[in-house]
Amino acid sequence: MENPQETTGLLDESPAWHNLYQYTMTAYPAALNSALLLATPAISPALESPQSVAGRTGLLTALQRPRYLGPSNRTALLFGAAQALGAWMIYDGDLESGSGFLGAWSALYMIVGGRGSVKALRYGRVWPLLVTTLTGANAYLYGSRFITNGFT
C-alpha cells in the first residue's frame, strides 16, 4: 500500500500541483492565509457598498444590515484566527485534524466572503479577491489531503 503522505489523491500530476500539495504537509500555506486575513482590516478595511448606502430609506433603516465590499473586520479576524489554529494543529504534528479543520474553515470562508470579494473587484479593490483566491486554494489542497489520504 502507498504511503498516504506521498500520494496526491485526485490532484493532477503536474509538477506545480504536486509541489503545492506537498506544502500541505506543513503549516506554511495556512499561516500565510492567516496572516493575510489578519492583516485585511489594516490593508483593505471593509467599506459599505454604495448600493447598500443608497438603498437605506424609510423607517426600517436601523434594522437593515449594511453590505460590505470585501470581508468585514469581524469576518477577517474570525477566519484568520481559525486559519492560525489549523496551522498550529499541523505544526504540532496532527496533520489529519489540521488538514480537515483547514479544509472546512477555508470552504466556510468561501461561502461567507467569496461573493463579496468578487463584487469588491468592481470597485477596484483587489485585496479581497487575492485573499479569497488563496483561501480557495487552501480549501482545495487541505480538503483533498484530508479526504483522499484515508488517515488510519
Side-chain angles (χ1 to χ4, degrees):
M1 184 169 172
E2 294 180 63
N3 182 0
Q5 294 183 352
E6 297 300 323
T7 62
T8 58
L10 300 175
L11 290 175
D12 184 18
E13 292 295 329
S14 69
W17 278 115
H18 184 71
N19 290 340
L20 285 175
Y21 185 76
Q22 292 305 315
Y23 276 115
T24 60
M25 290 175 44
T26 67
Y28 297 135
L32 175 65
N33 196 20
S34 174
L36 291 179
L37 280 165
L38 293 173
T40 295
I43 293 175
S44 179
L47 297 174
E48 285 191 53
S49 169
Q51 289 135 355
S52 174
V53 173
R56 288 192 204 166
T57 58
L59 298 174
L60 300 177
T61 57
L63 299 176
Q64 294 176 347
R65 284 187 11 193
R67 303 235 180 246
Y68 291 103
L69 294 174
S72 67
N73 294 343
R74 186 181 319 161
T75 301
L77 294 176
L78 172 72
F79 285 99
Q83 293 288 320
L85 180 61
W88 177 256
M89 288 177 176
I90 291 176
Y91 176 76
D92 200 35
D94 192 1
L95 184 61
E96 178 181 6
S97 296
S99 62
F101 185 84
L102 286 168
W105 276 92
S106 296
L108 283 172
Y109 181 79
M110 296 296 294
I111 293 169
V112 171
R115 193 166 109 194
S117 297
V118 173
K119 285 184 178 181
L121 190 61
R122 188 180 330 165
Y123 297 98
R125 304 195 67 178
V126 182
W127 182 261
L129 188 61
L130 171 74
V131 173
T132 300
T133 303
L134 184 62
T135 304
N138 273 353
Y140 180 72
L141 293 169
Y142 281 116
S144 64
R145 174 163 296 283
F146 179 73
I147 291 171
T148 61
N149 279 338
F151 293 101
T152 55

